[in-house]
């Protein structure tokens, strides 16, 4: 996952910068530092450990329960910073906020996909009226019908050169698209993985696609 011998700890006086990101939503949760010992503990336990000049070595969530389970660790090109993608068990910030940068700074599409995942797994409470999302997830015909309708409405908005309506319809289509693939066991990450593979393919000379 991460080769510690390829990291440059000298630039930061024995520390590297760690940018911690929510693997589900794409939100940047916090920025901290780690030394070799902290990263060794992270690799050994699968949970994030950091090094603070005031607190020393610390295991995120050891006292609060707001742990961060490692999904991936990736060094930058200079080897003096790390992107840590995690699954969080609670708020990242000591203020109780989800991130140390406050609300509103995340990836809206990833946040939507995370909400759909929650809706797909949480059963309705007795007597509770199913949400629109739950109705779609439970009814294949309705799900596909709405997907077709939203696509047609986007086509119409684009044909009319109505930029404002096209943006609204595109947002509706993205929502219904993510709902449509969820029962197949697919998520936004699966779609992004396909796009990443396509982007990584070498292009033939003269091929702009």
């Amino acid at each position: 996952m991460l080769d510690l011998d390829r990291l440059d700890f000298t630039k930061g006086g024995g520390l590297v910068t760690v940018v911690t990101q929510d693997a589900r939503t794409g939100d940047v949760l916090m920025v901290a530092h780690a030394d070799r010992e902290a990263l060794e503990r992270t690799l050994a336990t699968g949970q994030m450990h950091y090094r603070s000049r005031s607190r020393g070595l610390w295991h995120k969530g050891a006292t609060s329960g707001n742990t961060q389970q490692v999904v991936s660790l990736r060094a930058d090109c200079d080897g003096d910073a790390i992107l840590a993608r995690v699954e969080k068990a609670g708020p990242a910030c000591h203020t109780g906020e989800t991130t140390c940068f406050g609300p509103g700074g995340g990836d809206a599409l990833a946040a939507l996909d995370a909400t759909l995942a929650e809706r797909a797994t949480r059963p309705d409470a007795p007597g509770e009226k199913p949400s629109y999302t739950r109705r779609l997830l439970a009814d294949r015909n309705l799900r596909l019908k709405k997907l077709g309708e939203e696509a047609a409405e986007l086509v119409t908005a684009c044909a009319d050169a109505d930029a404002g309506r096209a943006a609204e319809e595109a947002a509706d289509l993205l929502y219904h698209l993510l709902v449509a693939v969820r029962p197949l066991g697919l998520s936004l990450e699966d779609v992004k993985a396909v796009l990443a593979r396509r982007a990584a393919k070498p292009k033939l000379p003269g091929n702009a696609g």
Side-chain angles (χ1 to χ4, degrees), residues 2-206:
L2 183 69
D3 185 351
L4 300 186
D5 292 332
R6 299 185 66 178
L7 297 178
D8 186 351
F9 292 98
T10 59
K11 290 182 183 177
L15 301 174
V16 293
T17 300
V18 182
V19 179
T20 305
Q21 181 184 38
D22 189 321
R24 278 185 170 272
T25 67
D27 288 353
V28 175
L29 300 175
M30 55 185 286
V31 177
H33 295 89
D35 59 3
R36 178 179 285 271
E37 182 184 7
L39 292 173
E40 288 174 344
R41 293 297 302 155
T42 295
L43 292 172
T45 64
Q47 294 192 346
M48 291 303 301
H49 288 67
Y50 301 96
R51 172 71 67 176
S52 166
R53 289 185 175 87
S54 59
R55 299 172 60 182
L57 178 68
W58 57 288
H59 173 197
K60 176 64 177 174
T63 55
S64 66
N66 300 328
T67 55
Q68 296 172 346
Q69 190 71 29
V70 176
V71 173
S72 67
L73 298 170
R74 180 179 298 177
D76 75 340
C77 56
D78 293 323
D80 59 359
I82 294 171
L83 175 63
R85 298 177 67 245
V86 304
E87 291 182 351
K88 60 182 179 60
C93 187
H94 70 280
T95 63
E97 290 286 352
T98 300
T99 86
C100 291
F101 300 95
D107 182 330
L109 196 57
L112 169 62
D113 195 54
T115 299
L116 296 181
E118 188 272 336
R119 294 283 194 278
T121 56
R122 182 180 63 83
D124 294 326
E128 179 184 8
K129 183 179 179 181
S131 67
Y132 179 62
T133 297
R134 291 284 296 173
R135 286 173 51 211
L136 291 174
L137 290 171
D139 188 333
R140 174 179 175 272
N141 290 338
L142 176 62
R143 194 165 60 241
L144 299 183
K145 174 176 176 288
K146 293 301 297 183
L147 181 64
E149 288 177 356
E150 297 300 340
E153 289 174 6
L154 176 59
V155 168
T156 300
C158 290
D160 292 342
D162 188 334
R165 187 156 62 92
E168 294 289 337
E169 299 299 347
D172 289 343
L173 180 58
L174 286 171
Y175 162 78
H176 284 88
L177 183 154
L178 290 176
V179 172
V181 300
R182 175 64 57 177
L184 304 179
L186 299 175
S187 69
L188 177 63
E189 288 301 312
D190 297 294
V191 178
K192 289 167 65 176
V194 173
L195 293 173
R197 288 197 299 271
R198 291 178 180 178
K201 287 183 179 179
K203 293 182 174 59
L204 298 175

